[in-house]
Amino acid sequence: APQRRRTAVTMAAVPPGGRVLAVGNGPVFLLAAKTAAKMGYKTTIVSAREELFTQLLWSEAREEPRDPNLTVLGVTRDEDVEAFNDAVANADGLIIAFDAEQTLTDTLLDVVLPATGGAKRVACLSKHLNGEAV
């Protein structure tokens, strides 16, 4: 039985160097995206607060270099929309992470996890369970 379990875990993993799309809100979202990038996954996040997220991810005070595996996209430029669509279509994995009580809307879920194509593996993170603090 242990051999089977290990196989299932291995099969569920995103391949090394794979592409990951992260969506969400709050520190858990940024931590999940940054961790995926540090583990070698080509990670993309998108935010209307692109400048703030960039500041939070890479501390200038500590002279922390930007991680080349982590891309922060805005939502207003055409090239960001094209890059986001590419990230959705070619993602090996999807991270959905929220710190607040909000959830991913059905519309956004349909966008980041389309019926055809897109991520085959999904990880969901939340500090809340059914609205109750964990």
Side-chain angles (χ1 to χ4, degrees):
Q3 182 65 23
R4 254 207 224 161
R5 187 174 211 182
R6 178 179 285 162
T7 302
V9 170
T10 301
M11 289 174 54
V14 172
R19 296 176 65 166
V20 173
L21 174 63
V23 296
N25 194 343
V28 72
F29 160 62
L30 294 177
L31 179 61
K34 193 168 186 177
T35 300
K38 290 232 178 260
M39 296 296 295
Y41 298 102
K42 304 211 178 337
T43 306
T44 301
I45 64 173
V46 64
S47 173
R49 300 179 292 180
E50 176 185 7
E51 188 174 311
L52 172 63
F53 279 21
T54 299
Q55 290 172 356
L56 291 171
L57 287 164
W58 296 287
S59 170
E60 290 180 19
R62 293 186 315 211
E63 299 179 1
E64 184 178 9
R66 288 186 181 220
D67 188 327
N69 286 326
L70 183 53
T71 302
V72 180
L73 301 175
V75 295
T76 56
R77 297 181 302 269
D78 287 343
E79 58 268 17
D80 285 342
V81 172
E82 286 179 29
F84 174 73
N85 289 336
D86 179 66
V88 169
N90 295 298
D92 296 302
L94 172 66
I95 298 171
I96 302 171
F98 285 93
D99 267 335
E101 290 184 17
Q102 72 185 98
T103 61
L104 196 63
T105 65
D106 289 344
T107 302
L108 185 53
L109 185 59
D110 288 342
V111 170
V112 299
L113 196 58
T116 58
K120 293 167 187 61
R121 295 153 185 95
V122 179
C124 299
L125 306 163
S126 175
K127 77 175 196 180
H128 292 275
L129 180 63
N130 297 328
E132 299 295 323
V134 177

